[in-house]
C-alpha cells in the first residue's frame, strides 16, 4: 500500500481536511519541550471520535506513524513527531459533553481547555480536582495522556486519580470505554468495576496505546474561601521534615496548591533583603475550603512549622506566591527566565525525604553546566512530591549543548531516587532502563499496536 | 540557527525573540476567565482553526524562513495577510513576545517579494493611486464636509476624519464637527486631506506608510500649533508627535472645562460599549466611556473585556476572507445584544458592523453620532 500520507488520506478519507503544506505543518514540529523538532507529513484537525477511529484504522493499514497533539504545552516532547507521519490534532475536539451534577461527573472531549472547563463549571459552584499550571491553553486530553499535576495535587495527587473513565480509540480503530461506562448505557460513575482498570493504559500513556476521545472527571465543590501562606525554613532538610509531617497529618486536605522553592529563587524574588536574613527553603501553600476548616488547618500548619524550625514568611507570600495564585499563572513563575530563553524541564516523582537531594542535584548542575541557568522547585502532592529541575537555555545558540546536560541530569535524578514523571520522549532512555516494567509495556504495545504506529518514541516504545 | 539574515532584514530583527518562544500556545487559543479572555485569535475562532493563522504559527513560519527551509511563499502570504491584526496574541503572551509585529515583518518581506495576495494587492493599489483603501476616488474624500461651514482660514482646531469616517461613515465626521461647532470651536480642515498611512502600515507596506505620514505632517505644519481632533483610531499612531486627540478625548475635555454643555432630549437609551482592538486600553476608549458616564448614559457593559475578539474589520481579513469577517461581525453584534444601541469607539469597526446588521440587531453609533442623536448642545457663555 502507498506510504504517502497525503495520498492515502485523499483517496480513502476524502471528507477529512488534511494539512500538508510546510507553512501549516511548522506549528506541529515542536512543543514546550527541549526534544528535537520533527515535522510531520500531514496533520488533521479532527472533528469527531469517529474521524479519529477512521484515521487510525487507515493509518494502521498503511503503517503510518501517528502523533497526537492537544494544546502542545507539555515539556516532555510527547506531541513532537519524529520526521514524517501524521499528526492528529485533537484541539478541535473540544466540546463539553455532560455535567452530571447528581453523579458528580463531567464528561468532555480531549481538546477542551481547562480554562474553558473551569469557566463552564463555575456557575454550578463546581470545579475539577487537578488543574495544570498551563490551564488557559492546556487540554484535558493532554493532561490525561501525559500525567498533569498542579493545582489540586496536594488534595488529590495526580490528574490520573481524578479520572472516572475514558473513551479511547485503539490503533486498529476499535473504540473502547473504561470504568463503568464499559457497560453500554451505564455511563461513568465509578472507575473500578469489572476486572482490572483499563483506564490506566491510557493515563500517562502519551498516546502509545490508544488515542483518548472522551474523558470523565470527578467534580468537586468550589472552595468558599481561598488564602495563601508561606513558611520559611533554615534548610531543605527541615523543610522536608515539615512537609512529611503535614502529609502524615493529612493537612493537605484543604491545600489546593503547594510549592517549595530553593534559596536562589527566594533571593531572586526578595532582592532587597539581606541574603543572611532569608530562609534557605520556602513552602508556599494555597488553601481552600470552608472558612472554619481552613482557619483550623492554618493554625495547625503554623504550629507544625514552628515545631520544625520554620517561621511565617509573609514577605515571600506578598512578593511572589500570592500574586501568582491570584493571577492563576503558576507556570510563569519563571517568566523572567523565559524572556531570555526556552527551558528544558525534567519533572520527576520523588519521596518527600529526597527533597534535599533534589535541590542538591540542582546545585550540582549549576557547577557542572554553568552555561545554562538552572532552577528547581517542588510541587506538593498528597503523598510525595513532584520535583522540577529546569535548565534555561538560548535555543538559537545552545540547543545542541543543552542536550547532554539534560540527559546527564536525568540520569542523576534517577540515581538519587527520583522517578520519571511526564515521560514522553524526554525520559524515554530512563524508562527503558526499567527492564521488567518496560518489557511489560512493550508486550502491551505489541498486543494493542502491533504495527507500532502510535506515538513511536514516547516511553521508549 | 540564524541570528542575522541579509535577505530577510525585517524578520532578522526578531531572530532572538523567535527562539525564545516557550510554546505555551496562549497566542493560539486560551480561555482565562480571571483575565476576561475567552478565545484569543479571531481568525481561528471564526475562519479557520489551523494554527498557521495564529501568533505561534507566524513565529514558526518566521523561524523556518530565516533558517532557509523550504516553504511556499504564496501559502505563507495567504496565512499572514488574513490576520486581523487585533494584537490579542501579543497582549496574552506571558513573556512579552511580539507575534503581531512578526506578522507585520512577514508581510513586509512578502511585499518585498511581490507576494501580496490579489485582494491585498488591490487594496495597496487603491492606497497608492487614490490615497485610501476603499477603492474610492481621491476627489470624493471631501464630500463628507459638504454644506458644513468649516473655517479653513483661521481655525481654532483642525478636524481630521481619517479614511474610514471620510469614505465609509461620513455621518460620523459630520456629527463630530457639529458637536465641536456647538461648543464654539472654529473647526477647520484640509483642502486636500491626505491619508495618514495607517492602512498601508497595517498591510505591511512600511515605505508607503512612512511617506503618507510625512505628507500629512508637512500639511499639518502649515497649521503648526493648532489642535488636531481626529475620528479614525487607526490614525492615532501615525499622528504621534502632533498635538492630536481623538474626538472622544476632545469631548471629555470640553465637558470637563465647561466648554461644551449637553442636555439630553429625553432619556438616552441603554448602550453597550464596543471599544474595538485599536482603542483597547487606550485613553481614547476610556474617554468615550467617561463622556457617556458624565452625561448620565446607562452602560450595559461598563467592565469591557481587554481581550475581546476582533469584529472582523481589521487587517487583511475583510479583503481576504469576507465571509469570515462577516461571521466575526455577527458574533460581535450578538455579544453586545444586551442593549438597544452599541456605541463604538472605532469608526472602521462601526462601518463593518453596520454592513453585517440584520433587522432586530442593536442600533450602531459612534460617540459623536450618539451625542448628536440624543443631546442638545450649547457653548459656555
Amino acid at each position: 500500500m502507498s506510504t504517502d500520507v497525503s495520498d492515502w488520506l485523499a483517496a480513502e478519507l476524502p471528507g477529512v481536511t488534511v494539512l500538508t503544506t510546510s507553512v501549516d505543518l511548522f506549528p506541529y514540529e515542536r512543543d514546550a519541550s527541549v526534544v528535537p523538532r520533527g515535522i510531520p507529513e500531514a496533520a488533521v484537525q479532527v472533528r469527531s471520535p469517529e474521524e479519529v477511529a477512521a484515521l487510525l484504522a487507515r493509518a494502521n493499514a498503511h503503517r503510518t506513524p501517528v502523533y497526537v497533539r492537544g494544546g502542545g504545552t507539555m515539556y516532555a516532547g510527547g506531541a513532537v513527531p519524529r520526521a514524517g507521519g501524521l499528526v492528529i490534532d485533537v484541539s478541535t475536539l473540544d466540546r463539553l459533553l455532560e455535567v452530571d451534577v447528581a453523579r458528580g461527573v463531567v464528561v468532555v472531549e480531549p481538546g477542551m481547555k481547562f480554562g474553558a472547563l473551569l469557566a463552564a463549571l463555575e456557575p454550578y459552584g463546581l470545579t475539577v480536582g487537578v488543574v495544570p499550571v498551563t490551564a488557559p491553553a492546556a487540554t484535558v486530553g493532554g493532561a490525561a495522556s501525559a500525567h498533569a499535576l498542579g493545582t489540586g495535587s496536594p488534595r488529590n495527587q495526580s490528574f490520573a486519580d481524578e479520572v472516572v473513565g475514558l473513551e479511547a480509540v485503539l490503533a486498529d480503530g476499535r473504540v473502547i470505554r473504561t470504568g463503568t461506562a464499559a457497560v453500554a448505557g451505564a455511563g461513568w460513575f465509578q472507575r473500578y468495576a469489572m476486572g482490572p482498570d483499563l483506564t490506566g493504559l491510557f493515563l500517562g500513556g502519551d498516546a502509545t496505546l490508544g488515542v483518548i476521545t472522551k474523558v470523565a472527571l470527578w467534580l468537586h465543590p468550589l472552595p468558599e474561601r481561598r488564602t495563601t501562606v508561606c513558611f520559611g525554613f533554615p534548610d531543605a532538610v527541615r523543610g522536608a521534615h515539615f512537609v512529611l509531617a503535614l502529609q502524615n497529618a493529612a493537612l493537605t486536605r484543604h491545600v489546593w496548591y503547594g510549592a517549595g522553592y530553593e534559596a536562589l529563587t527566594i533571593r531572586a524574588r526578595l532582592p532587597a533583603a539581606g541574603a543572611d536574613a532569608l530562609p534557605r527553603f520556602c513552602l508556599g501553600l494555597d488553601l481552600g475550603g470552608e472558612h472554619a476548616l481552613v482557619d483550623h488547618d492554618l493554625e495547625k500548619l503554623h504550629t507544625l512549622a514552628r515545631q520544625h524550625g520554620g517561621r511565617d514568611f509573609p514577605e515571600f507570600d506578598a512578593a511572589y506566591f500570592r500574586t501568582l495564585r491570584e493571577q492563576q499563572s503558576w507556570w510563569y513563575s519563571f517568566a523572567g527566565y523565559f524572556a531570555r530563553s526556552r527551558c528544558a524541564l525534567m519533572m520527576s516523582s520523588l519521596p518527600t525525604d529526597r527533597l534535599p537531594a533534589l535541590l542538591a542535584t540542582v546545585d550540582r548542575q549549576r557547577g557542572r553546566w554553568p552555561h545554562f541557568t538552572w532552577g528547581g522547585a517542588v510541587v506538593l502532592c498528597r503523598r510525595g512530591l513532584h520535583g522540577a529541575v529546569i535548565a534555561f537555555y538560548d535555543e538559537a545558540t545552545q540547543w545542541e549543548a543543552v542536550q547532554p546536560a539534560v540527559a546527564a541530569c536525568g540520569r542523576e535524578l534517577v540515581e538519587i531516587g527520583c522517578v520519571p514523571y511526564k515521560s514522553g520522549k524526554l525520559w524515554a532512555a530512563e524508562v527503558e532502563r526499567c527492564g521488567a516494567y518496560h518489557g511489560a509495556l512493550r508486550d502491551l504495545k505489541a498486543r494493542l499496536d502491533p504495527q507500532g504506529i502510535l506515538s513511536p518514541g514516547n516511553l521508549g516504545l | 540557527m540564524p541570528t542575522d539574515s541579509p535577505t530577510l532584514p525585517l524578520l532578522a530583527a526578531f531572530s532572538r525573540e523567535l527562539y525564545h518562544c516557550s510554546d505555551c500556545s496562549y497566542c493560539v487559543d486560551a480561555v482565562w476567565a480571571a483575565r476576561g479572555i475567552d478565545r484569543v485569535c479571531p481568525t481561528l475562532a471564526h475562519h479557520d482553526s489551523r494554527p498557521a493563522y495564529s501568533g505561534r504559527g507566524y513565529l514558526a513560519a518566521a523561524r523556518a524562513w530565516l533558517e532557509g527551509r523550504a516553504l511556499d511563499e504564496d501559502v505563507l502570504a495567504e496565512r499572514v495577510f488574513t490576520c486581523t491584526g487585533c494584537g490579542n496574541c501579543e497582549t496574552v503572551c506571558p513573556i512579552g513576545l511580539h507575534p503581531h509585529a512578526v506578522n507585520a515583518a512577514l508581510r513586509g518581506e512578502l511585499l518585498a517579494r511581490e507576494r501580496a495576495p490579489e485582494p491585498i494587492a488591490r487594496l495597496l493599489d487603491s492606497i497608492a493611486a487614490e490615497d485610501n483603501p476603499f477603492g474610492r476616488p481621491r476627489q470624493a474624500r471631501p464630500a463628507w464636509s459638504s454644506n458644513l461651514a468649516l473655517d479653513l482660514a483661521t481655525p481654532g482646531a483642525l478636524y481630521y476624519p481619517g479614511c474610514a469616517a471620510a469614505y465609509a461613515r461620513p455621518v460620523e465626521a459630520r456629527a463630530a464637527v457639529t458637536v465641536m461647532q456647538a461648543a464654539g470651536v472654529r473647526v477647520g480642515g484640509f483642502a486636500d486631506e491626505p491619508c495618514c498611512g495607517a492602512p498601508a502600515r497595517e498591510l505591511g507596506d512600511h515605505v508607503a506608510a512612512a511617506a503618507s505620514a510625512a505628507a500629512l505632517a508637512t500639511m499639518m505644519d502649515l497649521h503648526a500649533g493648532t489642535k488636531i481632533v481626529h475620528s479614525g483610531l487607526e490614525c492615532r499612531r501615525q499622528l504621534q508627535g502632533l498635538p492630536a486627540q481623538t474626538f472622544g478625548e476632545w469631548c471629555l475635555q470640553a465637558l470637563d472645562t465647561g466648554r461644551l454643555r449637553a442636555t439630553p432630549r429625553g432619556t438616552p437609551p441603554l448602550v453597550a460599549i464596543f471599544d474595538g482592538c485599536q482603542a483597547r486600553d487606550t485613553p481614547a476608549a476610556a474617554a468615550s466611556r467617561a463622556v457617556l458616564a458624565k452625561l448620565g448614559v446607562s452602560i450595559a457593559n461598563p467592565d469591557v473585556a481587554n481581550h475581546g475578539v476582533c469584529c472582523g474589520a481589521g487587517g487583511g481579513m475583510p479583503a481576504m476572507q469576507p465571509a469570515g469577517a462577516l461571521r466575526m461581525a455577527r458574533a460581535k453584534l450578538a455579544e453586545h445584544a444586551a442593549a438597544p444601541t452599541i456605541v463604538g469607539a472605532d469608526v472602521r469597526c462601526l462601518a463593518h458592523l453596520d454592513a453585517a446588521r440584520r433587522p432586530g440587531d442593536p442600533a450602531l453609533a459612534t460617540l459623536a453620532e450618539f451625542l448628536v442623536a440624543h443631546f442638545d448642545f450649547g457653548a459656555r457663555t
Side-chain angles (χ1 to χ4, degrees), chain B residues 208-341:
Chain B
S212 293
L216 180 62
T218 302
M219 190 164 286
M220 297 284 186
D221 280 347
L222 299 174
H223 304 275
T226 307
K227 178 185 288 185
I228 303 158
V229 178
H230 61 98
S231 285
L233 289 183
E234 65 272 27
C235 311
R236 190 178 178 81
R237 185 166 142 182
Q238 300 295 106
L239 293 170
Q240 274 177 0
L242 296 168
Q245 58 186 171
T246 63
F247 170 78
E249 290 168 316
W250 171 86
C251 196
L252 181 61
Q253 201 172 50
L255 286 169
D256 281 344
T257 59
R259 176 161 199 169
L260 177 67
R261 295 171 189 276
T263 311
R265 293 194 293 273
T267 304
L270 174 72
V271 302
I273 291 178
F274 170 47
D275 283 344
C277 309
Q278 300 275 351
R280 187 173 50 200
D281 292 335
T282 67
S288 290
R289 279 197 288 277
V291 166
L292 292 170
K294 190 177 274 287
L295 295 176
V297 177
S298 298
I299 300 171
N301 58 341
D303 300 318
V304 178
N306 287 337
H307 291 269
V309 172
C310 175
C311 69
M317 178 61 71
M320 294 288 290
Q321 299 293 343
L326 179 64
R327 281 193 294 276
M328 292 178 193
R330 293 298 312 157
K332 190 59 66 180
L333 287 164
E335 194 182 307
H336 290 77
T341 300

Side-chain angles (χ1 to χ4, degrees), chain A residues 133 159 444:
Chain A
V133 290
F159 185 80
L444 283 168

Side-chain angles (χ1 to χ4, degrees), chain A residues 71-432:
Chain A
T73 60
M74 288 296 180
Y75 30 86
V80 177
R82 288 176 167 173
L86 168 68
V87 167
I88 293 182
D89 178 351
V90 297
S91 67
T92 42
L93 200 56
D94 62 352
R95 291 175 301 169
L96 174 67
L97 298 173
E98 185 182 4
V99 181
D100 189 334
V101 176
R103 289 182 171 186
V105 173
V106 59
V107 184
V108 304
E109 290 184 327
M112 185 163 207
K113 289 171 178 53
F114 278 92
L117 176 58
L118 297 180
L121 293 177
E122 192 174 5
Y124 296 91
L126 295 169
T127 187
V128 290
V130 172
V131 177
V133 290
T134 46
T139 61
V140 174
S145 189
H147 273 334
L149 57 94
T151 300
S153 289
R155 302 172 77 245
N156 304 313
Q157 199 71 13
S158 173
F159 185 80
D161 294 303
E162 291 298 302
V163 175
V164 187
L166 298 168
E167 178 185 273
V169 182
L170 304 181
D172 59 7
R174 280 180 296 161
V175 178
I176 69 161
R177 290 186 176 186
T178 69
T180 50
V183 174
W188 280 288
F189 60 93
Q190 285 184 347
R191 177 156 160 190
Y192 302 100
M194 306 172 295
D197 169 35
L198 296 186
T199 316
L201 290 174
F202 309 101
L203 298 173
D206 283 314
T208 54
L209 302 176
V211 178
I212 295 169
T213 47
K214 288 187 179 71
V215 185
L217 297 170
W218 297 120
L219 289 166
H220 296 261
L222 274 171
E224 68 181 36
R225 180 193 175 197
R226 294 292 282 265
T227 189
T228 60
V229 63
C230 287
F231 298 109
F233 296 87
D235 52 58
V237 173
R238 274 175 276 195
H241 287 160
F242 167 70
V243 173
L244 264 177
L246 81 89
Q247 287 173 326
N248 288 333
L251 283 171
T252 51
R253 60 187 175 172
H254 294 123
V255 179
W256 283 80
Y257 189 78
Y261 301 97
E262 53 158 358
L264 269 184
T265 306
I266 297 167
R267 247 184 283 159
R269 300 299 162 179
L270 296 168
D276 293 343
L278 292 174
R280 304 282 299 166
F281 179 76
C282 167
L283 185 74
L285 299 174
D286 165 24
L287 288 91
E290 291 180 32
H291 285 271
L293 296 175
V294 169
D295 286 344
H296 173 268
D297 281 8
L298 265 175
E299 193 178 326
K300 294 193 88 169
L301 285 165
H302 277 101
T303 303
L304 204 59
R306 281 195 298 275
Q307 288 170 355
H308 289 84
R311 67 168 173 87
D312 199 10
F313 190 17
E315 302 91 333
F316 192 80
D317 194 32
Y320 190 49
F321 191 76
R322 191 188 326 136
T323 308
L324 289 177
R325 174 66 195 87
E326 288 168 357
Q327 291 178 349
Q328 297 277 328
S329 60
W330 300 105
W331 170 247
Y332 293 101
S333 55
F334 292 103
Y337 298 111
F338 279 118
R340 59 177 187 270
S341 67
R342 272 170 70 89
C343 81
L345 194 156
M346 282 151 287
M347 182 64 78
S348 62
S349 290
L350 63 153
T352 303
D353 60 14
R354 303 308 292 158
L355 166 60
L358 178 94
L359 298 182
T361 301
V362 178
D363 271 341
R364 278 196 296 278
Q365 306 313 310
R366 289 185 176 120
R368 195 171 299 155
W369 311 92
H371 300 305
F372 315 116
T373 303
W374 291 87
V378 293
V379 177
L380 182 65
C381 296
R382 194 172 63 222
R383 293 292 184 179
L385 299 169
H386 289 126
V389 179
I390 310 168
F392 296 91
Y393 65 97
D394 184 335
E395 188 185 22
T397 59
Q398 295 181 309
W399 183 81
E400 287 184 3
V402 83
Q403 300 294 329
V406 169
C409 181
R411 185 87 282 274
E412 189 167 336
L413 286 170
V414 172
E415 284 169 358
I416 65 160
C418 295
V419 173
Y421 193 79
K422 294 177 178 292
S423 305
K425 295 181 181 67
L426 187 71
W427 282 105
E430 297 303 329
V431 180
E432 284 181 77

